[in-house]
Amino acid sequence: MPAADVVAELLEHNTNDDNILSKIIQPKAFEADYRAGRLGAFILLACMANNVMYSRHEAVRRAGFVTATRQLVDQAKALAPAALEEPSVRNCQALLMLAIAYMHLGKLDVASHYSSITLRTLQQLGVCTMDNSDCGDADGWLRASWLEREQLRRLVWGGFTVDTFLSLMLHTAPYVLVDLSGVNRPCAPNMWYVGNDNLESLSFPRNAAPCYMQPQPSDSEYMAALKALKVNGMRWSLNGNTVQLNFAVLGNAILRGISDPQAVPAQVDRLVISASKSVTDWLAPLPHMPAQPSRAELTLTLMVSSASLCLWSIITPYLFSRTRPHAETPPELREMGSEHGLDRLLADYISAAHSHYTHAQLMVGACEDGSMPPMFAAYSMMVCGGMFAACAHAAPSERLRQRFGRMVHFFAKQSRTCAVRSLLFQRALDEIRAVADMARHLPRRLDTRQLLQIRDTLLPGAIEAAVNKRFAQFVEPIRPILRAAACPEHGAEPARPRCGVIPLTSNLCAIFGQALGRSGFRLGRAASEAPSDDSASKSPPPPPSESSTQSPTEKCAKGGPSALPAKDKLPNYKLSFTAISSLMIGLTVATKDESFFDFLPPDPEPSQASSPKSGSSLGNILN
């Protein structure tokens, strides 16, 4: 065990309201059990491992947050086998804490094993039916105190949420099917933190709203709307009745449906379409954020924004992959599959990510000081940063590319800063860098026909089939398509330029950008800037070089700068679901002109301190 002063300082953070452990264990009861010597080494080590990221102790800072977390996890995992042989509620608490600690170390697959074991053990103990009167009281849960029963509820719901989040990050179906109908929702926070043992939980309303979420006379209109969103949840029609769902329940259902090979596609389609409408309707009543929001408003906004982005990151790619017209396409998907419907899907997704970026800018440091749960903060950074990295390559103008580049710079910088405390953010940073690197090897300009051909070649079925493929293997099937687009038959009529961008029949460097050489980068910049007639008259075009006078066919034949990179020269990243989604969004953006992005708010003048210099390459920004 660490020194006594280190142990005391780490356990103090159980009372931190932003610490997820404070929602699972009752802080005062935990402290009383610790002082009375009723807590074993396993749960103490697992608890301290989670609290390292909040520590201010000098010894922890000298060792480093990640190193200190790893040392405590290594000690705790040595005690896990004995805990598994003695199933108990206390050991389940420790196992869930260990799963969360492994998340902070970036080991999501190991964390998923421990969270699944926690839920399976709770099922075997009968905890998941503790509030179902039809099941009787064979396990004696009703004879326990109010506080003991409430800790059980929070353990079940906490385990379910963590397992769902890990499934989302890994894009796999949750391993354990949990029926939560026999477990009441957790009580209000004020009752929980006081540890009120005088209330009869059986008469406590199942859908009671936390008291601090109740509207107050001093609340602004915006804060009242935020509280209503959190309290009411997402509306869902079930057997003719309307119920409220939270992020974990809805996300769990979607993941389970789209990952099940035996599921009926039409039923999964209806599930995802209903989920899309539920999220849209859930966010619709929220007014615009005040010009000078309070910290409480910002914190709650980021939590709501992160939860919605988690769901959109599953919903939007699925709808894109299912909107291809065929005989079994449902009417709702046919409507979404129209050009207008697909544009709206893409615009809504980019707009949601941009809103999150805007809100996150107003609360820089929220992740560093623990005000935002690391799980949701890291995932939303990964989704937004990867998407914007792909858009920064494929956007139709230099102005838009610079704008998306600043967004990537922001999320990369935040991820790098927060990775000192939790390696979840390092995973986010690694994916942002990987998507930016891979996007350089994809076309910058496409027409709709070419996009459909590339999409059908890369993803003939669901995106799930391409997860964990290597990038070189992923893009190998479209190399002939890219060659045909870059080196058309001699004498063919060149494609019409769009928005001042070099057409596909011209130099391949203009399509693939700076990854293929400085000459290609200059060509791409000159074309995408699209100078006005006045500027063109003032500065004559530079004389063509020897290489620029060659035909595209000659260049490809000679294997010059415009030749496709060899397969072994392509990045060897393993593709995640979110990375594939970002790359496909980049390919779709490559078909759009500048007017498509009119839904974005006006771009404020970037500050010199926080923005990259104009003309900086995305690789330099990220590194």
Side-chain angles (χ1 to χ4, degrees):
M1 295 288 284
D5 59 329
V6 177
V7 173
E9 196 271 343
L10 289 176
L11 294 181
E12 283 179 1
H13 297 289
N14 289 338
T15 59
N16 182 357
D17 185 54
D18 298 317
N19 186 352
I20 190 173
L21 294 194
S22 68
K23 313 294 192 298
I24 299 172
I25 56 174
Q26 210 286 330
K28 290 185 177 181
F30 191 87
E31 181 182 3
D33 289 342
Y34 167 65
R35 296 189 181 282
R38 292 191 289 267
L39 298 179
F42 183 36
I43 192 169
L44 284 175
L45 288 167
C47 179
M48 288 188 289
N50 278 277
N51 293 345
V52 164
M53 66 176 298
Y54 304 101
S55 178
R56 297 180 296 273
H57 198 284
E58 185 61 29
V60 174
R61 290 178 176 271
R62 281 199 308 268
F65 294 102
V66 174
T67 301
T69 302
R70 186 178 290 111
Q71 291 173 349
L72 290 168
V73 166
D74 287 343
Q75 296 179 57
K77 73 178 181 182
L79 304 175
L84 293 175
E85 294 178 359
E86 299 178 5
S88 67
V89 172
R90 185 70 79 188
N91 283 339
C92 285
Q93 288 177 326
L95 288 169
L96 182 57
M97 293 178 190
L98 191 56
I100 300 172
Y102 267 114
M103 280 199 301
H104 293 316
L105 293 178
K107 299 182 178 180
L108 302 187
D109 50 349
V110 181
S112 181
H113 296 329
Y114 279 108
S115 67
S116 299
I117 291 172
T118 303
L119 288 175
R120 176 66 70 189
T121 305
L122 289 172
Q123 285 181 325
Q124 293 172 347
L125 292 173
V127 177
C128 295
T129 59
M130 59 176 293
D131 290 316
N132 190 344
S133 57
D134 296 336
C135 296
D137 191 28
D139 297 302
W141 302 122
L142 300 184
R143 294 190 296 273
S145 68
W146 177 89
L147 185 57
E148 290 171 335
R149 292 196 299 273
E150 187 60 29
Q151 284 198 110
L152 289 172
R153 295 188 188 97
R154 288 174 174 267
L155 180 58
V156 174
W157 280 98
F160 180 80
T161 302
V162 169
D163 193 56
T164 299
F165 172 78
L166 288 167
S167 300
L168 179 67
M169 288 283 285
L170 298 170
H171 201 77
T172 58
Y175 292 124
V176 181
L177 180 60
V178 183
D179 182 6
L180 295 175
S181 61
V183 186
N184 288 354
R185 287 177 57 181
C187 70
N190 63 334
M191 298 168 62
W192 170 243
Y193 291 119
V194 170
N196 192 339
D197 201 20
N198 298 319
L199 297 177
E200 176 52 55
S201 66
L202 290 181
S203 61
F204 191 78
R206 181 177 295 244
N207 294 321
C211 294
Y212 81 100
M213 284 293 176
Q214 292 291 350
Q216 302 294 330
S218 58
D219 287 342
S220 64
E221 178 188 1
Y222 183 74
M223 189 63 174
L226 276 174
K227 289 182 176 181
L229 287 183
K230 289 286 290 180
V231 171
N232 297 332
M234 302 173 193
R235 299 175 69 84
W236 190 267
S237 179
L238 181 66
N239 297 329
N241 299 318
T242 301
V243 297
Q244 281 87 27
L245 303 180
N246 65 2
F247 145 79
V249 175
L250 187 54
N252 193 288
I254 298 172
L255 281 170
R256 194 168 288 282
I258 65 178
S259 303
D260 184 2
Q262 305 299 324
V264 180
Q267 295 178 353
V268 180
D269 290 343
R270 286 196 294 271
L271 170 67
V272 178
I273 291 171
S274 299
S276 174
K277 293 177 179 177
S278 292
V279 178
T280 302
D281 294 343
W282 182 52
L283 298 173
L286 190 64
H288 290 291
M289 179 185 285
Q292 295 182 333
S294 66
R295 184 176 179 84
E297 290 174 334
L298 278 173
T299 302
L300 200 52
T301 299
L302 284 174
M303 293 177 65
V304 170
S305 176
S306 296
S308 62
L309 269 175
C310 287
L311 294 174
W312 283 126
S313 70
I314 319 171
I315 292 171
T316 304
Y318 178 87
L319 292 177
F320 264 106
S321 66
R322 290 288 295 164
T323 49
R324 305 172 191 178
H326 53 82
E328 294 80 16
T329 303
E332 300 94 334
L333 283 179
R334 287 186 182 276
E335 181 180 351
M336 290 183 179
S338 64
E339 183 177 359
H340 173 73
L342 290 175
D343 283 355
R344 182 176 177 181
L345 273 176
L346 180 62
D348 287 347
Y349 195 23
I350 296 177
S351 181
H354 183 271
S355 296
H356 186 78
Y357 160 74
T358 304
H359 301 149
Q361 277 188 307
L362 299 174
M363 201 173 175
V364 174
C367 302
E368 299 173 52
D369 61 15
S371 301
M372 270 287 292
M375 295 189 304
F376 301 105
Y379 186 76
S380 56
M381 286 182 183
M382 183 172 69
V383 170
C384 295
M387 182 195 311
F388 293 147
C391 292
H393 171 76
S397 69
E398 181 67 17
R399 179 185 65 82
L400 282 170
R401 288 196 289 273
Q402 286 293 328
R403 181 174 185 179
F404 284 121
R406 290 194 296 273
M407 299 178 196
V408 178
H409 169 72
F410 172 80
F411 285 115
K413 182 179 179 181
Q414 289 298 299
S415 299
R416 188 185 304 112
T417 302
C418 298
V420 175
R421 295 177 180 267
S422 172
L423 291 184
L424 267 178
F425 295 97
Q426 184 63 47
R427 288 183 67 100
L429 178 60
D430 290 344
E431 176 149 320
I432 293 172
R433 286 172 169 168
V435 171
D437 192 15
M438 291 184 286
R440 295 185 304 120
H441 299 278
L442 295 177
R444 267 189 169 163
R445 292 285 85 197
L446 292 170
D447 59 34
T448 304
R449 177 188 59 81
Q450 292 163 335
L451 171 65
L452 294 177
Q453 188 179 9
I454 290 175
R455 187 188 70 174
D456 292 343
T457 304
L458 291 179
L459 299 172
I463 293 181
E464 286 77 12
V467 172
N468 291 329
K469 279 187 177 181
R470 297 290 180 179
F471 178 69
Q473 177 191 5
F474 178 65
V475 299
E476 180 63 21
I478 66 170
R479 289 164 68 85
I481 302 175
L482 298 179
R483 285 197 186 95
C487 303
E489 194 174 327
H490 182 68
E493 183 180 354
R496 183 181 178 184
R498 300 179 63 187
C499 298
V501 180
I502 291 180
L504 276 171
T505 52
S506 189
N507 193 321
L508 186 60
C509 288
I511 305 171
F512 281 79
Q514 59 184 351
L516 299 182
R518 291 182 59 82
S519 61
F521 179 61
R522 287 197 298 272
L523 284 170
R525 285 285 307 279
S528 59
E529 286 171 358
S532 62
D533 293 338
D534 294 337
S535 62
S537 61
K538 294 178 182 177
S539 55
S545 63
E546 180 182 353
S547 60
S548 64
T549 58
Q550 297 174 351
S551 70
T553 308
E554 291 171 339
K555 291 196 171 194
C556 286
K558 292 184 178 182
S562 60
L564 285 169
K567 183 177 180 180
D568 58 354
K569 300 296 184 183
L570 290 171
N572 199 33
Y573 300 110
K574 183 183 286 187
L575 293 169
S576 66
F577 179 86
T578 48
I580 299 171
S581 301
S582 297
L583 294 175
M584 298 309 295
I585 286 173
L587 288 171
T588 307
V589 166
T591 67
K592 306 302 178 186
D593 54 28
E594 195 162 3
S595 64
F596 171 78
F597 294 93
D598 289 345
F599 62 86
L600 291 175
D603 186 16
E605 186 68 24
S607 64
Q608 296 267 342
S610 62
S611 299
K613 294 180 180 179
S614 179
S616 299
S617 71
L618 196 57
N620 292 334
I621 290 171
L622 292 174
N623 295 318

